[in-house]
Amino acid sequence: METHPTKTPLLPLHTPPPPQIFQFSANCTLFNKNTLFLVLGPLLCLLTWLFLDLGSGQEPGRNLIGVLGWIFEWWILEAVPVPVTSMSPLFLFPVFGVASAGEVAKSYMNDVIALVLGSFILALAIERYNIHRRLALNITAAFCGDPVKPRLLLLGICGTAAFVSMWMSNTAAAVMMMPVATGVLQRLPAEGDGPPEIRRFSKAVVLGVTYSVAVGGMSTLTGTGVNLVLVGMWGTYFPGARPISFSTWFMFGFPLALVILFAMWAILCFYYVSRKSGSALADYLDKAHLKRELALLGPMSFAEKMILAVFGMLVVLWMTRNITDEIPGWGTLFHGRVSDGTVSVMMATLLFIIPNKKREGEKLMDWSACKHLPFDVLLLLGAGFAIADGVRTTGLADSLSTALSFLSAAPYLALAPLICLVSATLTEFITSNAAAATLVLPILVRLSDAVGSGDINPLLLMVPGCIGAQLAFLLPTGTPSNVVGFGTGRVGIWDMVRVGAPLKVASVAALALLMPTLGVAVFGANRPS
C-alpha cells in the first residue's frame, strides 16, 4: 500500500483569537494623536453649545462661536487637510443655524475670489514660459558688480524676490525664486569646503528670498491672500463704503514694504555679510556666470513678450481704475460696475485667445495647464469671507463690541502697534496667515467702535492686524514660504529666529510710524459714511 506524505494544511489548525476591535497599544491606529485632533474640534463646538450663554436671542452667535472653535482647531492642528477644513462652513453654518446654504456659497465666489483667480492664471503663464527666471537673472546681473559686491548682490536678489511676490502668492514666488537663488549659490563651494564667509553669505541669500516674498506680498492686493481677506471683510462689514482698490492699497503697502525690505537687508548684512565676503566670493561668482545663464535661455520669444504685455496692461488697468476723488479713473465710464476682479479675469481670458506662435492653433495658455491652480487658497479665502459674514449677521459682532468697550480710552498711537504685534505673534502658530487674519479682523472691526468714541476709521485698526498676520518670520512652520527656504538645508531654526526676531520688531516699528501718517492720508481718519 502506497503512503502519501502528510500535506501542510491550507489553514492553521489552531483556533485564532477573536478579533479585538479596540486595541489600546502603542501601535493602535484608532486612538492616536490625529484622531484626538479630529475629535477635539466637534468637542469644542459641543461644549460651547452646552455651556456658553450669550443671552436671550443670541443663539446664532453662540453657535457661531462653537463652529469657529471647530474650524480653527482643525485649521491650526491640521486634523484634516486645510482645504477640506475651508469647505466646512458650507455644511456647518446651515446645520447650526448660522446662515443658509445659499448665503454661505456666495462667499466662495465673490469679486475678490475672481481677482485672485485671474492673478493665479497669469502667474501660471509666467511660470510656464520661464519668464520669472529670465527676469531674476537680468536683475541679479545688474546688481552683481564687477568685482562682485556681496551686499549689492544680496539686495538685488531680495528685491527681485519681493517684486515677483507682488504679483502672485508668497508660496508660488518662493517656489519660483528659490531655485534661482540656489542656482547662484551652486557656483560656490559646498558647505564646509570653503571659507566661513561663503557659508554665511549662502544663509543670507536663502533667508533673504524667504522673507522678501513675504515683504513683497504686502505691497499689492494680489501679493498675498491676507490682503484679499481684508478687502473681502471690508466689503462685507461696510458695503456702502468706498472699496479698497488696487491703487489705494499700493499707495500704502508699497512704501511700507520698501521700508521693511531695507530693514531686512540691513539685518542680513549685519549678521552674515562681512567685509571679507567680497574677496571670498570673487573666485567663485561673477557676472560671466549670470550672462551664461541668460544666454542659455535664448532670445525672448513672442509668447513671452505677449505675456509681459498682458501683465503690464493688467497692472496699468488696476492702478488707473480709481485714482483719487478729484481725478476719477477709467472705472467711472462703467458707472462703478467694474472692479479689480473684472479686470483680472478679463486679462486672464486673453491668455486663452492669443496664439503663442510655437505650434499651430496653440494659445498662450490652455486649460490643462490650469490644473495647478492653488484651489486650496481660493477655498481658504472663501471660508474667511463666510466667517466674516457670519460674525456680522448673527449679532456676534455687537457682543464683541460691548466686551471691548473698556478700550475706548486707549490712544491710537499705542493701539495700532499693539494690534500688529498681537497678530504677528498669533500668525507664528497658525500655518496659514490668511487663517490668522480671518480670526483677528472681525474682532478689530468691532474694536473700532470702542476707540475714539466710534469715530475712527476701522481700516486704521484692520490694516495693522492684516500686516501683522504676514509677519511670520520666526519659525519654519509659520507659513509655507518659510518651509521652502528651510527645506533647502542651508539655514536652521536658529538662523530664522536670529533674523526673524529683529525683523519682526522693525516691521512693527515701521507700521507704527507709517500708519498714523501715511495710513491716515490714504485710508482717511474718519469712519466711512
Side-chain angles (χ1 to χ4, degrees):
M1 180 177 179
E2 186 179 0
T3 59
H4 298 280
T6 305
K7 295 183 178 180
T8 304
L10 296 177
L11 295 175
L13 297 178
H14 65 277
T15 303
Q20 296 184 6
I21 299 176
F22 300 99
Q23 296 182 2
F24 299 93
S25 64
N27 297 325
C28 178
T29 58
L30 182 61
F31 295 98
N32 53 30
K33 182 174 66 175
N34 291 335
T35 304
L36 176 62
F37 292 164
L38 192 65
V39 174
L40 184 57
L43 181 60
L44 289 173
C45 183
L46 177 62
L47 292 176
T48 302
W49 186 77
L50 290 176
F51 298 107
L52 182 64
D53 184 12
L54 297 181
S56 178
Q58 296 296 318
E59 289 79 9
R62 177 203 61 191
N63 294 349
L64 178 59
I65 293 176
V67 169
L68 292 183
W70 183 337
I71 292 174
F72 280 106
E73 189 274 330
W74 275 11
W75 260 341
I76 295 170
L77 300 180
E78 296 189 33
V80 297
V82 171
V84 177
T85 304
S86 300
M87 292 189 294
S88 60
L90 288 168
F91 66 87
L92 290 177
F93 280 22
V95 168
F96 285 89
V98 175
S100 68
E103 293 170 344
V104 179
K106 290 178 182 177
S107 300
Y108 285 80
M109 197 58 222
N110 58 18
D111 181 66
V112 178
I113 301 293
L115 170 65
V116 71
L117 179 61
S119 302
F120 280 154
I121 293 175
L122 183 60
L124 286 177
I126 290 174
E127 182 180 5
R128 183 184 189 185
Y129 293 97
N130 225 13
I131 298 174
H132 64 288
R133 180 172 176 80
R134 184 186 298 275
L135 175 66
L137 287 173
N138 274 292
I139 295 179
T140 307
F143 282 90
C144 182
D146 192 13
V148 62
K149 297 178 176 60
R151 295 182 179 181
L152 192 61
L153 176 58
L154 177 62
L155 180 61
I157 294 174
C158 293
T160 303
F163 177 79
V164 171
S165 184
M166 289 169 62
W167 316 107
M168 60 189 66
S169 71
N170 296 349
T171 304
V175 171
M176 288 182 180
M177 284 301 304
M178 198 58 72
V180 176
T182 54
V184 175
L185 299 179
Q186 284 175 357
R187 295 281 297 175
L188 307 178
E191 187 171 348
D193 295 339
E197 288 80 11
I198 291 180
R199 184 177 66 254
R200 288 198 291 267
F201 180 76
S202 299
K203 290 179 181 290
V205 169
V206 173
L207 289 172
V209 172
T210 301
Y211 293 142
S212 293
V213 297
V215 175
M218 300 176 188
S219 304
T220 63
L221 289 183
T222 56
T224 176
V226 180
N227 295 345
L228 297 169
V229 169
L230 172 64
V231 173
M233 289 194 179
W234 177 252
T236 297
Y237 284 106
F238 305 98
R242 182 181 179 183
I244 306 174
S245 67
F246 188 93
S247 56
T248 300
W249 180 267
F250 186 81
M251 284 189 289
F252 175 78
F254 182 73
L256 175 66
L258 205 60
V259 172
I260 297 176
L261 182 68
F262 277 103
M264 178 205 69
W265 174 68
I267 294 170
L268 289 173
C269 289
F270 176 79
Y271 280 122
Y272 296 109
V273 185
S274 65
R275 294 182 178 179
K276 298 180 180 179
S277 298
S279 57
L281 293 171
D283 296 333
Y284 307 101
L285 189 63
D286 55 22
K287 269 191 174 181
H289 165 66
L290 298 172
K291 290 180 179 179
R292 285 195 297 271
E293 292 287 332
L294 279 170
L296 290 175
L297 292 177
M300 186 174 291
S301 65
F302 172 82
E304 293 176 78
K305 293 177 182 177
M306 290 307 301
I307 289 174
L308 287 178
V310 172
F311 173 76
M313 193 182 306
L314 174 63
V315 173
V316 171
L317 291 174
W318 271 342
M319 296 293 292
T320 58
R321 183 177 67 86
N322 283 320
I323 303 176
T324 64
D325 292 334
E326 294 77 17
I327 308 175
W330 60 265
T332 56
L333 298 175
F334 300 91
H335 308 288
R337 290 192 297 267
V338 299
S339 65
D340 290 336
T342 307
V343 178
S344 181
V345 174
M346 180 182 69
M347 301 310 292
T349 303
L350 288 180
L351 300 178
F352 298 87
I353 298 174
I354 302 173
N356 64 9
K357 291 192 175 181
K358 288 191 173 184
R359 295 183 182 88
E360 184 67 27
E362 191 172 84
K363 311 302 180 183
L364 292 175
M365 282 289 286
D366 56 75
W367 189 248
S368 62
C370 295
K371 63 184 179 181
H372 300 295
L373 281 171
F375 289 104
D376 55 340
V377 177
L378 300 178
L379 290 173
L380 182 62
L381 289 172
F385 300 152
I387 290 171
D389 194 54
V391 171
R392 179 179 59 86
T393 57
T394 58
L396 182 59
D398 297 329
S399 300
L400 291 172
S401 177
T402 302
L404 295 170
S405 59
F406 69 94
L407 292 171
S408 57
Y412 175 74
L413 292 178
L415 193 57
L418 179 61
I419 289 172
C420 183
L421 185 60
V422 170
S423 182
T425 303
L426 178 66
T427 194
E428 295 290 351
F429 304 98
I430 300 180
T431 304
S432 168
N433 296 347
T438 301
L439 177 63
V440 171
L441 291 180
I443 299 175
L444 297 179
V445 172
R446 309 320 302 178
L447 178 58
S448 65
D449 289 333
V451 177
S453 301
D455 293 329
I456 190 172
N457 190 330
L459 279 177
L460 299 184
L461 299 182
M462 295 174 71
V463 170
C466 171
I467 296 297
Q470 302 176 54
L471 305 181
F473 297 147
L474 296 181
L475 302 175
T477 56
T479 184
S481 57
N482 287 4
V483 177
V484 174
F486 188 76
T488 62
R490 293 179 180 268
V491 297
I493 295 179
W494 169 242
D495 295 307
M496 298 191 72
V497 172
R498 184 164 69 164
V499 175
L503 179 57
K504 190 184 288 281
V505 172
S507 301
V508 174
L511 185 130
L513 175 65
L514 291 179
M515 198 67 223
T517 52
L518 180 63
V520 169
V522 171
F523 300 115
N526 298 326
R527 291 186 65 86
S529 56

